[in-house]
Amino acid sequence: MTYILVRSPDSDETVELPTEDDNSLCLATLTAQFPDAIGLRYESPETGAMRGLRASEGKLLPPEDGWSNHVYFCTIAKGIKRKVDQDVDVASSAKSKMRTVDLIVLGLPFSCDESTMREYFSQYGEVVTSEIKKDSHTGKSKGFGFVHFKDFDSQIQVLAKKHFIGGRLCEVKIPNEKTEAEASHRLFVGQLNPTMTEDELKEYFSEFGAIADTYFPKNPFRGFAFITFIDPNVAALISKGEHVIKNNRVKVLEATPRLSKSKAVEKKEREGYYDRNNGGGQWRKMEEDHYSGKGSITAFPGDRH
């Protein structure tokens, strides 16, 4: 039995592979160590060019002068390598969408100052900014503020826990965050390739979070699917990125149920989209007005009084 030296083009690690009794190399032996390999090549001592090996009936045949002491490099199908590169890039891109935001802290004691609030939240990670909103005339606290962390993991920890600051239970959330009933755990995935399988779809999206359920119509194939995550924040975040699965660019949207007209109006009122004075505005300004009692929501633009 002869052993030949084989290396992946993307790695410096060299593996010794055994040949068969007829001095050929079985493709199954090669793919057992290098799953994406479809052949071998080596550097020709005469020309310096890469020279490929002949394949026949599931075996790779040795060069005319035998296996010698060459180092053989795996040949990878371009489509497979491109798919891997694209999936890695897309996964990184989607995960980079998980950025920290200003968190609103409600129910603060009026005696709590910014240094106390910053010190409290620093136990979860580096605090970039902290602010307690104060009345512009009296300079007294309005009982709420904002905190912004450097790391996404710190933000996740804080959102998952209860907080007692100065002896009071405080609520920390993302401003204008949907309620649990409104938050969508589901993603719509469209423009699927007919060769796509449910397992491949689950394997790709499971990188972003735990999956609770999948809906994948097969008979007949309809070109779309639904992925349900346990955490609704995962669905919201990755729906903002581009995704390529098996060389197929797919369309990914957050699957939010349609609201009736009356519920849509209630939703806008509750989230502070409009007020009588400015007919809208930036979310943070509306949150400040809403929780300080200044911006009570009384009408939508265009309503008659």
Side-chain angles (χ1 to χ4, degrees):
M1 180 185 297
T2 302
Y3 285 88
I4 64 172
L5 303 176
V6 179
R7 182 183 298 176
S8 168
D10 299 325
S11 172
D12 293 333
E13 182 183 9
T14 302
V15 179
E16 289 187 338
L17 297 182
T19 61
E20 302 300 308
D21 293 338
D22 61 0
N23 206 31
S24 65
L25 176 67
C26 184
L27 273 174
T29 302
L30 176 64
T31 57
Q33 300 298 324
F34 304 95
D36 296 332
I38 59 172
L40 289 178
R41 52 185 177 170
Y42 66 101
E43 184 177 343
S44 168
E46 293 86 10
T47 64
M50 297 304 292
R51 180 175 294 177
L53 298 183
R54 289 192 300 122
S56 176
E57 298 180 350
K59 296 181 179 181
L60 292 173
L61 305 181
E64 293 181 358
D65 59 347
W67 293 108
S68 301
N69 293 321
H70 301 303
V71 175
Y72 296 87
F73 295 88
C74 294
T75 301
I76 308 296
K78 291 183 178 179
I80 294 175
K81 188 174 189 305
R82 182 168 60 249
K83 180 260 184 188
V84 172
D85 291 343
Q86 287 175 334
D87 283 359
V88 169
D89 290 344
V90 169
S92 300
S93 174
K95 289 177 181 178
S96 71
K97 297 287 184 180
M98 299 182 180
R99 302 185 186 280
T100 56
V101 298
D102 283 353
L103 302 178
I104 191 166
V105 185
L106 305 174
L108 287 170
F110 292 107
S111 59
C112 180
D113 55 24
E114 290 183 7
S115 62
T116 301
M117 186 175 76
R118 175 183 282 268
E119 181 180 356
Y120 172 82
F121 284 111
S122 293
Q123 64 182 302
Y124 297 101
E126 183 177 345
V127 175
V128 178
T129 58
S130 62
E131 177 187 13
I132 291 180
K133 301 308 296 183
K134 298 179 181 179
D135 186 281
S136 58
H137 299 292
T138 65
K140 294 182 178 180
S141 168
K142 293 180 180 180
F144 72 96
F146 294 89
V147 63
H148 193 127
F149 289 93
K150 179 181 178 180
D151 298 321
F152 185 77
D153 287 343
S154 300
Q155 176 175 295
I156 292 297
Q157 288 184 55
V158 168
L159 290 172
K161 294 186 177 182
K162 293 182 178 180
H163 303 277
F164 288 87
I165 304 175
R168 291 190 61 180
L169 176 63
C170 299
E171 180 184 4
V172 181
K173 68 174 190 173
I174 298 174
N176 272 349
E177 187 180 42
K178 297 176 182 177
T179 65
E180 182 66 22
E182 295 168 345
S184 175
H185 296 246
R186 304 183 77 197
L187 280 182
F188 168 83
V189 186
Q191 300 177 353
L192 295 178
N193 191 301
T195 62
M196 179 78 65
T197 67
E198 184 174 358
D199 288 341
E200 290 169 340
L201 197 69
K202 290 174 67 174
E203 180 183 359
Y204 176 80
F205 283 105
S206 63
E207 294 184 9
F208 302 101
I211 293 176
D213 185 42
T214 58
Y215 174 68
F216 191 90
K218 301 176 183 177
N219 297 311
F221 179 79
R222 300 173 65 184
F224 70 86
F226 286 95
I227 304 289
T228 304
F229 289 93
I230 293 176
D231 184 353
N233 290 322
V234 174
L237 288 166
I238 69 176
S239 65
K240 300 173 184 178
E242 293 185 348
H243 300 269
V244 179
I245 310 173
K246 290 182 67 66
N247 297 326
N248 174 208
R249 188 173 298 276
V250 299
K251 185 175 184 179
V252 178
L253 300 172
E254 189 177 358
T256 305
R258 290 186 177 181
L259 299 177
S260 65
K261 185 175 180 180
S262 60
K263 286 186 178 180
V265 171
E266 291 174 1
K267 180 174 183 291
K268 288 183 177 181
E269 289 179 341
R270 183 170 62 254
E271 294 186 352
Y273 286 176
Y274 299 98
D275 69 14
R276 180 170 53 191
N277 299 320
N278 62 19
Q282 297 179 353
W283 62 264
R284 176 160 174 161
K285 178 64 169 64
M286 295 302 298
E287 285 282 347
E288 293 175 8
D289 290 347
H290 177 66
Y291 290 108
S292 62
K294 290 169 54 181
S296 56
I297 303 162
T298 58
F300 290 92
D303 284 355
R304 296 181 179 179
H305 301 283

